[in-house]
Each structure stands twice: as structure tokens, then as C-alpha cells.
């Protein structure tokens, strides 16, 4: 496989014997290469670019032809060049793409900043399309450069006055733009999101409802920005994900609704209208971390005394860390059997969409 790339100084191939570097259980300190890279399935291909693991895992076939094709793609220029003197159909080229970052300059790709722009574009390949635009009549006379971003849901671009000088500056800005804090979960990206092993806070909505997802995102940005490393905030098209609604005793007539799936249990946010009230949804997230939602799933609503005694004892870990709470106080409740009075929780639904821990899924043709 490596013969095609020999002498190019662009690709280094390595292989790791996982019998000599075996995975270590998650609760133990990762000391081997396999455990540090979270390897549980074989063969796994890890790609490092600019000294960092790529943000998107390779999920294609494990054949020589497919892997060589993938590496060729990674070595191709991730930036599309547009010169207004040659091509004036910028809208046709850029706006048919998903999410787009455009960098407007009057000079060409010999400028030193091009190498920075190209490195960031390579990092975020698959999240955004990157365009280097020259000789544009839209750059104001008082500016030599201009950064613009267009989301996948929009036909209009937003312009930014960021004048980047370093890779880190542009990478931080572009990552924030290209990888949204609130993502839409689909059957195509569900495995990838679930593999991050963070609880899902899911807004279920009808596809015609654009207002609820937008308001949901605003609340996350305003109140829960510090939780993005502990919870995956996602939206879900209820036409695609109607089955989970049944598990929390809801129908499409009840939409929009919010639920948390911890991969152990699924908890319904009691009243969507309370999203308008500052701090209410944040409290619901805090109750997940403290284990309160889990305890109430098994033992019913806690009285105020119990709440006061347990409040603040959470260690920031997700609900799965509190499964032992139930076993210390009583036997685990099987299936969807709930404690009396608790009718808005069920067993996890989305964990069934997770890939196998030990093999690649045949449905995605990864073997």
C-alpha cells in the first residue's frame, strides 16, 4: 500500500501490534497505545494530520483500494480557488455547498497566509468547504482581506473582521464555525456522535419547525456553553426518530419535546415551555450529572430533604457513573418498569444505534 506514496515525504505508515499493546478497561489508566487511542475494533485506521488525530474517523471499507483512495483525498488540496477575473459565478460554486468558509484577498495563493488557511481546511475537511477568493469586487476598499462563513442551512454569508496571523487563531475560529455546538443527529452520523460517549440532550421536532431548533441553540449558547464537553446537544427530525417518542409516551402531536438519553436511561424534560425560563433546563442537566434523574427513575421523586442532602454531591460525571446508586439501595429495575409516579423516563433507545464495541458494523460496509 505504501509504495504509491514512497519518496513523497507526505505520508508515514505505521502499524501497532495490539496483542503486545492490548486495550485496557476504561476504568483503568490508559498506558498502552491501544487504550490511549481507544482501540476496541480491528483493523482500525487512525489518521494524524498537523500533529493531531483527525476529527472524523475513517469509516470506509478496510480494503487496500479504499484506503489508498482515502489517502489520495487527504493529500489533495482542501481549498477551492476562485479568481473573479476568471470565474464570476461565485454564488453557483459556493452556495451549493454545505457549510462554507471563504477567505477574500486581492492577491493569490503565494501569500504566506495561504499555508495557514490550507492547514486549517485540511483539519476540517468534511465539516466545511474552504474557498480562497481573489480579485473579488466585494472587498471594501479599506480592507485587504475578509473572512466569511455560510452555514449549511443558509444562503447568506456572514462576514467577520478577524485578521488571523497564526494557525491557532484561524483554527479556533473556524472550528467554532464549522463544528456546531448543537448538531442534527441522523442515521448517517449517529454512530459517530454516540461513539463520543457523552449523554445526548435531544430536541425532537417536526421538519417544518425551524423556530424550535433555533431557540434551543440560543438557550445552549446562553446558559449551557460550559456543558458542551459533558453533554452532546443535538436536534432530531421526529419523522426519522419517531420510535424514541413512544418510549417516553409521547407522539408527534406533543412536539417539540426535549429528552436526555444517557445510554442507560432516557429522561423527558417535563415541560418544553420551561425552556423559556432561565436556568430550568440547566437544572435538568445538573440533575443528570448529580445522579438525581437516575435515582428518581428507580425510586420515584425525591422529597425536598433528600434533594438538599444530595445536591452538590455530583462529580461532573454523566448518569452512567451513578448506576451503582441503584444497586446500593436496591435491585436494578429491569426494562421500562418505573417507580410509582414517574412516567417520563424509559430505558435508553439511542444506545442501540451505537456501533459494536468489538467489530465494525456490516451495515456501513466497514469490513
Amino acid at each position: 500500500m505504501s509504495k504509491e506514496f514512497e519518496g513523497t515525504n507526505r505520508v508515514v505508515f505505521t502499524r501497532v501490534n495490539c496483542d503486545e499493546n492490548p486495550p485496557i478497561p476504561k476504568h483503568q489508566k490508559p498506558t498502552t497505545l491501544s487504550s490511549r487511542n481507544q482501540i476496541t475494533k480491528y483493523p482500525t485506521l487512525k489518521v494524524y494530520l498537523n500533529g493531531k488525530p483527525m476529527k472524523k474517523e475513517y469509516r470506509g471499507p478496510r480494503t487496500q483500494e479504499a484506503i489508498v483512495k482515502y489517502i489520495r483525498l487527504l493529500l489533495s488540496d482542501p481549498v477551492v480557488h476562485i479568481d473573479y477575473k476568471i470565474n464570476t459565478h461565485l454564488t453557483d460554486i459556493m452556495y451549493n455547498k454545505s457549510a462554507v468558509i471563504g477567505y477574500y484577498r486581492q492577491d493569490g495563493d503565494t501569500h504566506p497566509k495561504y499555508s495557514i488557511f490550507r492547514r486549517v481546511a485540511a483539519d476540517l475537511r468534511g465539516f466545511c468547504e474552504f474557498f480562497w477568493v481573489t480579485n473579488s469586487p466585494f472587498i471594501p476598499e479599506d480592507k485587504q482581506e475578509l473572512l466569511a462563513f455560510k452555514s449549511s442551512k443558509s444562503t447568506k454569508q456572514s462576514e467577520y473582521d478577524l485578521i488571523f496571523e497564526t494557525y491557532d487563531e484561524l483554527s479556533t475560529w473556524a472550528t467554532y464555525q464549522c463544528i456546531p455546538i448543537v448538531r442534527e443527529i441522523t442515521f448517517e452520523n449517529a454512530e459517530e456522535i454516540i461513539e463520543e460517549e457523552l449523554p445526548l440532550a435531544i430536541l425532537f421536532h417536526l421538519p417544518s419547525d425551524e423556530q424550535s431548533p433555533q431557540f434551543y441553540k440560543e438557550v445552549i449558547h446562553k446558559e449551557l456553553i460550559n456543558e458542551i464537553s459533558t453533554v452532546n446537544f443535538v436536534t432530531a427530525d421526529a419523522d426519522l426518530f419517531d420510535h424514541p417518542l413512544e418510549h417516553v409516551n409521547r407522539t408527534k402531536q406533543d412536539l417539540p419535546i426535549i429528552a436526555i438519553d444517557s445510554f442507560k436511561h432516557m429522561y423527558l424534560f417535563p415541560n418544553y415551555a420551561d425552556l423559556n425560563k432561565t436556568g430550568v433546563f440547566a437544572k435538568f442537566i445538573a440533575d443528570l450529572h448529580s445522579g438525581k434523574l437516575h435515582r428518581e427513575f428507580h425510586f420515584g421523586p425525591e422529597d425536598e430533604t433528600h434533594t438538599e442532602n444530595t445536591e452538590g454531591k455530583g462529580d461532573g460525571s454523566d448518569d452512567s457513573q451513578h448506576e451503582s446508586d441503584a444497586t446500593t439501595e436496591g435491585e436494578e429495575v429491569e426494562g421500562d418498569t418505573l417507580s410509582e409516579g414517574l412516567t417520563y423516563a424509559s430505558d435508553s433507545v439511542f444506545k442501540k444505534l451505537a456501533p459494536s464495541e468489538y467489530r465494525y458494523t456490516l451495515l456501513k460496509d466497514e469490513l
Side-chain angles (χ1 to χ4, degrees):
M1 182 187 300
S2 60
K3 288 183 178 180
E4 177 175 339
F5 306 103
E6 280 183 5
T8 64
N9 293 322
R10 300 186 69 191
V11 184
V12 176
F13 290 91
T14 63
R15 61 183 179 182
V16 177
N17 185 330
C18 290
D19 287 332
E20 297 176 359
N21 294 270
I24 292 176
K26 293 179 182 178
H27 64 275
Q28 297 181 18
K29 183 178 180 180
T31 56
T32 66
L33 274 174
S34 295
S35 55
R36 287 201 296 271
N37 287 280
Q38 299 176 330
I39 306 299
T40 59
K41 298 175 279 191
Y42 310 97
T44 290
L45 179 69
K46 287 281 184 178
V47 180
Y48 289 78
L49 191 66
N50 295 323
K52 301 180 294 186
M54 290 198 64
K55 296 181 184 298
K56 275 188 177 289
E57 290 269 351
Y58 174 71
R59 294 179 177 274
R62 265 61 181 170
T63 64
Q64 177 173 320
E65 181 181 7
I67 293 175
V68 168
K69 183 179 179 181
Y70 175 67
I71 294 173
R72 288 191 195 123
L73 172 66
L74 295 182
L75 293 176
S76 65
D77 196 334
V79 178
V80 177
H81 302 250
I82 296 178
D83 187 336
Y84 253 93
K85 289 183 178 180
I86 300 173
N87 192 333
T88 58
H89 301 293
L90 179 64
T91 302
D92 295 339
I93 296 174
M94 289 181 69
Y95 288 2
N96 287 336
K97 302 291 183 180
S98 50
V100 167
I101 285 183
Y103 183 50
Y104 298 77
R105 288 196 65 91
Q106 297 301 64
D107 43 13
D109 58 13
T110 57
H111 192 278
K113 286 190 176 182
Y114 176 76
S115 63
I116 297 175
F117 192 72
R118 189 180 186 281
R119 285 177 64 196
V120 173
D123 288 345
L124 295 171
R125 191 194 295 266
F127 292 99
C128 273
E129 300 282 346
F130 284 73
F131 291 82
W132 180 277
V133 185
T134 55
N135 298 308
S136 170
F138 301 114
I139 300 181
E141 293 182 1
D142 59 336
K143 294 183 179 180
Q144 292 186 337
E145 59 187 274
L146 181 68
L147 270 172
F149 172 75
K150 182 196 77 68
S151 73
S152 59
K153 301 283 187 179
S154 175
T155 57
K156 296 180 180 180
Q157 68 177 25
S158 301
E159 298 176 357
Y160 297 83
D161 290 327
L162 173 70
I163 307 298
F164 67 91
E165 299 294 340
T166 67
Y167 165 82
D168 288 340
E169 288 175 339
L170 181 60
S171 178
T172 299
W173 177 84
T175 300
Y176 178 82
Q177 301 295 338
C178 294
I179 304 179
I181 292 173
V182 179
R183 291 175 283 180
E184 179 180 6
I185 191 168
T186 65
F187 287 115
E188 286 72 27
N189 68 7
E191 283 191 356
E192 183 178 342
I193 292 176
I194 292 170
E195 271 189 326
E196 295 171 10
E197 298 185 331
L198 296 177
L200 300 179
I202 313 154
L203 169 72
F204 293 92
H205 66 97
L206 293 172
S208 58
D209 177 11
E210 298 180 359
Q211 184 177 355
S212 296
Q214 182 58 39
F215 182 63
Y216 182 63
K217 293 173 185 177
E218 291 173 2
V219 171
I220 304 308
H221 277 268
K222 182 179 178 181
E223 299 184 27
L224 290 161
I225 197 70
N226 293 330
E227 292 286 354
I228 60 175
S229 62
T230 62
V231 176
N232 263 328
F233 297 96
V234 299
T235 62
D237 181 341
D239 282 350
L240 295 176
F241 293 97
D242 55 350
H243 180 62
L245 298 181
E246 299 175 10
H247 278 255
V248 288
N249 298 318
R250 294 296 183 272
T251 67
K252 292 180 182 179
Q253 283 67 43
D254 299 311
L255 297 175
I257 66 170
I258 297 173
I260 292 177
D261 194 318
S262 71
F263 306 130
K264 293 291 183 180
H265 305 305
M266 195 167 177
Y267 311 106
L268 181 68
F269 183 55
N271 187 356
Y272 174 79
D274 285 344
L275 198 63
N276 285 292
K277 300 176 182 178
T278 301
V280 176
F281 186 47
K283 176 64 166 56
F284 192 64
I285 297 293
D287 288 344
L288 169 76
H289 293 322
S290 71
K292 180 181 177 183
L293 296 183
H294 172 74
R295 292 190 298 272
E296 290 190 345
F297 176 90
H298 290 285
F299 306 113
E302 298 179 351
D303 58 34
E304 292 184 6
T305 304
H306 189 185
T307 301
E308 289 173 2
N309 290 337
T310 57
E311 218 166 75
K313 291 185 180 179
D315 59 1
S317 58
D318 64 54
D319 172 74
S320 63
Q321 301 297 317
H322 298 278
E323 288 301 303
S324 59
D325 293 351
T327 55
T328 56
E329 299 180 36
E331 292 298 319
E332 280 279 357
V333 179
E334 297 294 334
D336 290 336
T337 305
L338 305 178
S339 298
E340 185 178 354
L342 193 61
T343 59
Y344 56 88
S346 74
D347 285 342
S348 171
V349 176
F350 281 84
K351 71 176 180 181
K352 298 172 184 176
L353 297 179
S356 166
E357 263 191 81
Y358 305 109
R359 63 176 178 80
Y360 289 94
T361 168
L362 295 173
L363 293 177
K364 293 181 70 64
D365 192 30
E366 290 182 330
L367 288 176

